Amino acid sequence: MKAVPIILSALLMGISTAQEMPSSIVRSSISSKGTIWTGQRVDLGIDLVAPGYFSGTAVFDLPSLPDVLIVPPSGSPTVGTENIGGQDYVTQHHTVTIYPRRPGAFEIPPFTIRFAIKPDPLAHDPVDQMVKTDAIRIEAKQPPGLPADGMTITSASLTVEESWQPVPGHEAKPGDAFIRTIKWHARDMTGIAFPPIPDQSSGPIALYRSEPEVVDETSRDGTSGNRTDKLTYVCKAGGNASIPGITFRWWDPTVSAVKQVIFPPHDIHIIAPPIPPEPPLRRAWNFLRHHVVPIITSIAVAAALATARYLS
């Protein structure tokens, strides 16, 4: 009978310990230093500070803003420990990336982060936690030499490459197709931040787009973004056509200069196939259809003249 009070006492102590567990803390701050440019990656550091051991993955309820792209953390957080007022805490450091899409001041409103912790690693049931960040204010400047009404890219490591399969020649025929592949890569951007390829369909050439392939890679050096666009140009009919060139311009903050890459246009003469000859029966029918009235008239006149001579 003594076991029941002991078990009950232990349960009550466990409940009391859970109730007395200190609250979790969240700290947020902009890690990026110096001038923030439109289209630049801005790192928002998030530190979760918990009085226990993290269980599972933290969920970020990020806001949606029309002029700011906000990307949730990727990869594993950096884990550490901290002592606050004699209380030991376990910490997780996450990075939320922000891309301002226009110049001016922005405020990232407070957002909620949900996670779970255990008072000790062997505890069975985790305890749900919910913290809310402070509002974050950032101000972005428009790079000189780039229009503010477009989609600005700011990167110190951007590369853009173009390839063709096959390469468009000076002549083609209806039905010929040319696949244009454009690959983006940057160590300081996410793939979803690259701009779409402009629409370039014209005249006797039709343009078909594939869904862009976007891949972000995480390593010790950070996150790099990749995007692959595939555009298929199909010759529809005979005539002269041009696949327009493309110029991409972006701001390199390390040298404070506008950089660009130019992909040239391709002029194509699409040779229409020769018109096949008409079958003999159709040709005879078309001749009769177009000349039946003159033929009948000629026959009638000849008959009338013959009759007149006979009667005279």
Side-chain angles (χ1 to χ4, degrees), residues 129-209:
Q129 303 286 290
M130 187 171 66
V131 294
K132 180 172 278 193
T133 66
D134 294 329
I136 297 292
R137 186 179 185 277
I138 62 174
E139 185 167 357
K141 294 179 62 178
Q142 182 65 22
L146 293 177
D149 57 351
M151 188 170 179
T152 304
I153 302 177
T154 297
S155 173
S157 64
L158 177 64
T159 58
V160 191
E161 298 176 346
E162 177 191 65
S163 62
W164 287 92
Q165 184 60 40
V167 178
H170 295 297
E171 292 186 349
K173 61 182 183 298
D176 284 353
F178 306 98
I179 301 175
R180 184 185 217 166
T181 302
I182 297 178
K183 292 185 177 182
W184 305 75
H185 173 78
R187 293 192 306 274
D188 48 5
M189 293 187 69
T190 176
I192 61 176
F194 296 126
I197 307 299
D199 188 5
Q200 297 180 310
S201 56
S202 63
I205 293 183
L207 171 61
Y208 301 93
R209 297 172 177 270

Side-chain angles (χ1 to χ4, degrees), residues 122-304:
L122 300 179
H124 184 267
D125 296 321
V127 180
D128 291 333
Q129 303 286 290
M130 187 171 66
V131 294
K132 180 172 278 193
T133 66
D134 294 329
I136 297 292
R137 186 179 185 277
I138 62 174
E139 185 167 357
K141 294 179 62 178
Q142 182 65 22
L146 293 177
D149 57 351
M151 188 170 179
T152 304
I153 302 177
T154 297
S155 173
S157 64
L158 177 64
T159 58
V160 191
E161 298 176 346
E162 177 191 65
S163 62
W164 287 92
Q165 184 60 40
V167 178
H170 295 297
E171 292 186 349
K173 61 182 183 298
D176 284 353
F178 306 98
I179 301 175
R180 184 185 217 166
T181 302
I182 297 178
K183 292 185 177 182
W184 305 75
H185 173 78
R187 293 192 306 274
D188 48 5
M189 293 187 69
T190 176
I192 61 176
F194 296 126
I197 307 299
D199 188 5
Q200 297 180 310
S201 56
S202 63
I205 293 183
L207 171 61
Y208 301 93
R209 297 172 177 270
S210 300
E211 192 69 23
E213 179 184 346
V214 178
V215 178
D216 285 349
E217 300 173 342
T218 303
S219 64
R220 293 180 179 179
D221 298 329
T223 300
S224 61
N226 302 275
R227 171 174 165 151
T228 301
D229 290 274
K230 287 192 176 182
L231 303 95
T232 302
Y233 300 84
V234 179
C235 301
K236 299 186 298 181
N240 294 319
S242 178
I243 298 177
I246 305 177
T247 299
F248 296 111
R249 306 175 73 214
W250 69 94
W251 177 255
D252 186 338
T254 59
V255 294
S256 298
V258 175
K259 291 186 175 180
Q260 70 177 18
V261 60
I262 301 174
F263 299 133
H266 293 270
D267 296 325
I268 303 173
H269 176 61
I270 305 172
I271 303 173
I275 300 174
E278 286 185 307
L281 289 177
R282 179 176 294 179
R283 186 164 62 250
W285 166 251
N286 287 335
F287 177 81
L288 290 173
R289 184 163 54 90
H290 290 95
H291 298 87
V292 66
V293 173
I295 291 173
I296 293 174
T297 303
S298 299
I299 293 173
V301 170

